[in-house]
Amino acid sequence: MGERAKALLVDDRRDNLLALEAILQGLPVTAVAVESGEAALKQLLTDDFAVILLDAHMPNMDGFETASHIKRRERTRHVPILFLTAADRDAQLALRGYAVGAVDYLTKPFDPWVLRAKVSIFVELWMKSQQLKSQAEASKEREAQWQRLTGTVDEAARVLRAGGEQAAAEALDLLDKARWGD
């Protein structure tokens, strides 16, 4: 369960990626920086992310198209996307960002502490989600063990009811095997 949360940083400008990495330093998150929408989609094929910080304006595949692809994939559709853009506070661009699935839309220059707070929330939510998945898997395994044990007890009871000279020994053997996982 000790997997560390990851944040995918997507911007065509290396200096912006370095600035984002610096902003996120000290948070319980590993920053993974890529310089295009295509690279982001490839990264999402191999890694799971707690949050995506996505530049809206990039050459070739812009942030809106990238977000659209992310939200179409079953594996990535629930990853929160924070759009970051240098564009003026154009309400239409923000609406376009929300329309393709963004949870927020920040215009540059933005307050780094606000961005850290937002990323922290999504990292915490991701960690809680991972914890719940782990607990659900453990519960499922306990249920399977219980079902196996119940089946064994039922079989031992059937053997005892059938009687015979070896019934008790056979029933005990079944229970021992179940107890020791044989």
Side-chain angles (χ1 to χ4, degrees):
M1 221 289 316
E3 187 181 354
R4 188 171 162 96
K6 295 178 185 171
L8 181 59
L9 317 179
V10 187
D11 198 307
D12 60 307
R13 295 187 51 189
R14 189 76 198 130
D15 56 334
N16 287 344
L17 291 171
L18 291 172
L20 289 173
E21 288 172 339
I23 290 169
L24 299 182
Q25 262 187 345
L27 294 180
V29 64
T30 299
V32 177
V34 296
E35 295 183 15
S36 70
E38 294 89 347
L41 295 176
K42 285 179 185 171
Q43 196 68 48
L44 286 161
L45 290 173
T46 59
D47 288 323
D48 293 321
F49 291 91
V51 64
I52 299 169
L53 306 182
L54 181 58
D55 182 25
H57 299 287
M58 296 183 290
N60 302 323
M61 184 185 297
D62 68 12
F64 302 107
E65 187 180 351
T66 303
S68 178
H69 285 290
I70 291 168
K71 293 302 179 178
R72 274 190 242 141
R73 292 180 178 170
E74 181 61 35
R75 181 173 181 225
T76 57
R77 75 171 27 127
H78 300 294
V79 180
I81 297 172
L82 299 172
F83 267 112
L84 307 174
T85 183
D88 292 332
R89 299 183 191 281
D90 183 348
Q92 290 302 98
L93 285 178
L95 288 175
R96 187 173 169 205
Y98 292 124
V100 294
V103 295
D104 208 347
Y105 192 92
L106 301 174
T107 55
K108 300 172 191 171
F110 49 80
D111 184 336
W113 294 103
V114 169
L115 182 61
R116 281 177 64 87
K118 290 174 187 276
V119 168
S120 291
I121 288 168
F122 289 115
V123 165
E124 186 175 332
L125 288 171
W126 183 86
M127 290 177 4
K128 297 277 187 210
S129 174
Q130 296 305 106
Q131 187 178 26
L132 286 173
K133 283 180 191 174
S134 177
Q135 288 172 348
E137 288 170 10
S139 178
K140 207 174 191 178
E141 179 55 33
R142 282 191 302 275
E143 177 64 25
Q145 288 173 342
W146 177 252
Q147 292 297 326
R148 286 190 299 273
L149 182 61
T150 301
T152 301
V153 169
D154 289 345
E155 178 65 15
R158 186 192 61 72
V159 167
L160 286 172
R161 275 191 220 101
E165 292 180 22
Q166 295 295 337
E170 195 177 322
L172 284 173
D173 190 43
L174 283 168
L175 293 172
D176 276 344
K177 284 181 181 177
R179 179 179 179 200
W180 301 111
D182 294 342

